Structure formats: C-alpha cells, structure tokens
Amino acid sequence: MAVRIRRKYSSATLLLCGLPLCCSLLSPAVAHAGDTIGSDGYVHVAPNGVVLGVDPYYPTDGNGGYDVGDYTVDLSYDPASRFLSAKALVTATTTQRLSRFNLDLRGLTVTAVKVNGVPASFVRAKAHELVITPVTELAADTSFTVEVVYCGRPEPEYVPGRGATGWRTTRSGGAVAAGAPHSATTWFPVNDTSVDKATFHLNATVPTGWSVASTGVRKSVHNGTHSWVEEVPVTPSATMIAIDRFAVRESTLPAGTTVLDAFGPGADTALARTLPAAMEFLTGKLGDYPLPATGGVYLQDWFYYSHPSQGRPVHGGFAGESALVQALASQWWGNHLAIKMWKDQPLVDSFARYTVWMWDEAKGGTAVEQHYQDALRRAGSDAWFWGRKLADPGMGREFSVTDKGVLMVHALRKHIGDEAFFTMLRDYPSISALLNQGWYDWELYTAAVADKDLTAFYEAWVHGTTLPPAELR
C-alpha cells in the first residue's frame, strides 16, 4: 500500500503558531552553486526546504532567479486593425546571480530589450519563453529593470479542457484579456506564476470614443490615455484589460470602497445592481474587503462565467447573480489568498462557490443544508463525479470540480462545527495575504484551529476518488 508523506508544518501553520517566517521560506527557485541561469519554470520549495519542483500541469510557467516588484505597461491599441504597440518595464530583484533569465510572453513581436537601461540580447523559445541575456551578469540580491518593446496582434491561448483564455476581441469590436491560467502572457511579458505577486501600472492609449478598464484604481484619462494603478500586489492571472465603447458608472459603497463599473455596448446593467448588497453580505462573512476598489466589466459577449480579475471581475453576457457573488468572494478566496500550483485551484474555488449557497440562504432562498442534500442526491454514487480528485484534478480540469468541492466545504462545516468553520473562512485569507497556499497548508491549518484529527476527512473528500463514507457526509 502506498504511503503519502505529509509535511510537518507549513507557512500557514507557522503564522498560526506565532513563529517568524524567514526569507528563505519564500525563495522562488533552487539555485545551485555557480548556477547563473534562471530556470524556465518556477521551482516550488516547501517551507522546510524540500524541493517540490515545477507546476505539474504547466511546468514552464514562471521563471527562476528573480522576484518581480512591479509591472508598468504603456500601450496603444487600435481596435480597427487590432494592432497593439507596447513597452513594458519590469522592476525586479535577483534571487541568485543571473547571466541569463526568462520572461513569459506568447506571440507578439519583440523588437528591443534593455536590462538596467542597456540593450540586451534576446531570443524566443518554446511557446512563450523570452530568453534575455544582459551584457553584464546581474549580482544576487540586487534590484534591476527590464524594458521590453513589442507589438503585434494579440491572440488567445487555447488550453485543453479550458478553451480560450487571454486576449480576445469582443462582439462590439473591442478587446478583453482575462482568464486563467495564462491570460497575462498574451499581452505583456510577465513572470507567469501565482507565487510572484507584483504591483501593476497601466497606461493604455485608445482612439477617441473608446475606453479602457483594468485592474486597480483608475487614476486619470487624458488625451486618450487611460491610466490605472494596482498597488495591492496581484498574481498575473488576476490582471485584466478591457477596451470598448464603455459606459462607465462610478459610485462609493457605505464602507468607503470605490466602485467602477464598465458596461460594454448592449450589456445589461441589472447585474451590477446586486454588487452593493453582495459586498455587504460578503464582508460580514469574510471580513474587510482587501482592496481599495471594486466593480466589474460587463460584456454582451457569449461566455457564461465571470472571471474574478482582481478588484474588477469580467462578466459575460450570460453570467448571473451567482457568478457575480462567486467572483466577488474570489477577491478573498483566490486573489488575496492565492494558490501555489494550479492543482490547488479547487481549494479557493470551492470556498468561493460556497458563499453563493450562503448568499442564497441569506436572501430567503434555498437553505445551505438543502443545497447540500440536493447535490448529494443528484450525485448519488456516480463513479465519474466522485472519481475526480480535488487535490489533483488534472491539467485543464482544475476549474471543473467545484461541484464536488462545494460539497466538501459544507461537509467540513458539519464535521468541525460553525464556530471553527467561520473562524477559518474569515481568517485564512487574512493570514495568507503575503503567502501562497495549497491543500496541505489548508489541511494542517484546519486541523490546528479545529483541534481535531481531520486526516480521514481529507483522505475521503480531497484525496479520495469514491463516495465518502456516511459518517463523513
């Protein structure tokens, strides 16, 4: 019988116990003595120093050798020709000596690269690697800048089982770039891993009559240039840009959070009216909203989901109230609390989806327990339904198991009681704001807070592939 060995502690456990985190726990890559080439995939390291390796689904996501502090993207886009011209300035700090390193960028033509203001050589490799060789080797633990000038017609990326993500044109002739796992790389060079959050600045110039919505706070609109600033570090997959003939509506919530909604041509404005009440409900359950601004981009386009871009989700024409609530909840569970690897995505999605059940109950709809019992009855003992492993659903399926995951969340609530459950629901994103968490971290954290051995529960619900036993349901 195979034995799965668990880590004895995690970053979340260290915080819970009041123990200090040292910088080495956050090292983004494993650098060997004399190695001066940054890896073309982000190497994950456990808090105890054990090398976990690259993301098993997307092994070349992200890069080693540096931490990004900020992205500043200056671009112009012509909707008529669908042509983008841009310059990105990446400000970063080395984590090892670097004679060569990579950024992630899909398609588009790179015309020039500078490192610390000096022209550098570069080549393209694989589907998305921009390999950069500075004139002078970069010392370890030093700040540096990379300027990339590029242009072209951005295209979406197609992920098996997920479809198109990233840059795409809208029905009204505009463009939107949102989605996961690889949206950012379709329009600006990035260290494409969730464990390298950075601040984000955008200056986007569009023709008269067109508008730009993006992540963060809109700072100014001048001579066709729309400037946006996100000072709360964001993961690459949570950034977004939308360009269209938007009708923009601004307001302020009672708590002081600013709201900016952008409605594309033909988009229904009714969904946005749910936001104030949903925010009031979610802050009551999850704590203070972790961002200075909220709102959404509302499109007439055909997709049914809402992508939870940081601070400003993108809602398709068929998205409904449930999708909006889940996208808002993802600002806590998904953006503030970010995952380590893509196999961990069901963790945050399952809890964000559970808030939809609670929202429905709170406004006089179906009780949460009834949602749970109805879903269990529909699933029955179906081998396909229960055969999907929450801890490792497989590439392209990391977003498709929340129908099972939301059942796990309610079963956990019943198993540990409301007091412990709601403490965890509120506190875990808060203590994890500067970290990235996965299933093992969550399992250890919940066992500590509940003061209960949850091994059997998680083996059945998270790591198991059959209907959990009745005593755990």
Side-chain angles (χ1 to χ4, degrees), residues 274-303:
T274 303
L275 187 145
M279 284 288 289
E280 181 180 8
F281 170 78
L282 290 170
T283 53
K285 296 296 183 184
L286 304 177
D288 293 342
Y289 183 62
L291 300 166
T294 186
V297 173
Y298 301 84
L299 302 174
Q300 188 187 25
D301 288 65
W302 51 88
F303 49 96

Side-chain angles (χ1 to χ4, degrees), residues 233-384:
V234 57
T235 63
S237 62
T239 60
M240 59 78 60
I241 184 174
I243 300 168
D244 220 315
R245 299 181 185 275
F246 288 122
V248 176
R249 186 172 68 195
E250 297 182 80
S251 59
T252 304
L253 297 178
T257 303
T258 61
V259 181
L260 187 146
D261 291 317
F263 302 95
D268 188 355
T269 63
L271 182 59
R273 291 196 286 270
T274 303
L275 187 145
M279 284 288 289
E280 181 180 8
F281 170 78
L282 290 170
T283 53
K285 296 296 183 184
L286 304 177
D288 293 342
Y289 183 62
L291 300 166
T294 186
V297 173
Y298 301 84
L299 302 174
Q300 188 187 25
D301 288 65
W302 51 88
F303 49 96
Y304 288 82
Y305 61 87
S306 296
H307 177 67
S309 308
Q310 182 160 306
R312 192 152 290 101
V314 177
H315 306 286
F318 298 106
E321 185 176 294
S322 294
L324 180 140
V325 172
Q326 183 171 336
L328 290 175
S330 296
Q331 304 309 311
W332 287 267
W333 282 84
N335 292 338
H336 199 54
L337 163 61
I339 59 169
K340 288 181 176 176
M341 301 185 186
W342 284 110
K343 65 184 181 65
D344 301 316
Q345 185 66 29
L347 169 64
V348 292
D349 280 353
S350 297
F351 280 87
R353 183 168 176 174
Y354 188 69
T355 65
V356 177
W357 283 8
M358 294 193 296
W359 161 260
D360 189 31
E361 180 181 67
K363 67 189 186 96
T366 304
V368 170
E369 175 66 16
Q370 190 60 55
H371 271 297
Y372 176 73
Q373 294 297 337
D374 290 346
L376 276 180
R377 187 163 46 253
R378 288 192 298 270
S381 57
D382 182 73
W384 176 86

Side-chain angles (χ1 to χ4, degrees), residues 401-423:
V401 294
T402 55
D403 53 345
K404 178 182 176 182
V406 70
L407 295 177
M408 178 278 298
V409 174
H410 189 64
L412 176 65
R413 175 181 173 181
K414 295 170 68 170
H415 195 63
I416 65 176
D418 276 8
E419 182 177 359
F421 177 81
F422 283 106
T423 296

Side-chain angles (χ1 to χ4, degrees), residues 53-236:
V54 296
D55 190 300
Y57 297 172
Y58 310 103
T60 59
D61 274 11
N63 305 282
Y66 62 92
D67 281 324
V68 177
D70 178 75
Y71 298 100
T72 297
V73 180
D74 295 282
L75 65 82
S76 62
Y77 181 71
D78 178 21
S81 64
R82 301 181 179 179
F83 195 82
L84 174 80
S85 297
K87 178 179 71 176
L89 182 68
V90 182
T91 303
T93 301
T94 59
T95 58
Q96 64 180 72
R97 292 163 49 210
L98 280 181
S99 61
R100 192 176 77 197
F101 60 92
N102 293 12
L103 286 167
D104 300 310
L105 180 67
R106 296 176 183 274
L108 301 173
T109 300
V110 176
T111 58
V113 174
K114 292 181 180 179
V115 176
N116 290 334
V118 178
S121 61
F122 62 92
V123 295
R124 307 301 291 270
K126 301 179 181 177
H128 60 85
E129 302 288 352
L130 173 61
V131 184
I132 300 168
T133 303
V135 171
T136 304
E137 180 181 291
L138 303 175
D141 302 315
T142 59
S143 296
F144 70 104
T145 60
V146 185
E147 179 186 288
V148 181
V149 180
Y150 59 102
C151 61
R153 292 181 176 85
E155 297 288 344
E157 186 214 5
Y158 293 89
V159 178
R162 180 66 175 162
T165 62
W167 192 284
R168 68 188 82 179
T169 55
T170 63
R171 293 173 63 183
S172 52
V176 60
H182 303 132
S183 172
T185 62
T186 64
W187 65 287
F188 70 98
V190 63
N191 189 24
D192 197 20
T193 170
S194 61
V195 297
D196 197 2
K197 290 184 176 183
T199 54
F200 180 75
H201 296 75
L202 173 68
N203 302 298
T205 303
V206 292
T208 301
W210 296 84
S211 297
V212 180
S214 189
T215 308
V217 176
R218 187 172 69 172
K219 286 298 185 182
S220 66
V221 179
H222 182 67
N223 291 335
T225 299
H226 301 247
S227 296
W228 289 80
V229 175
E230 177 56 283
E231 296 292 359
V232 178
V234 57
T235 63

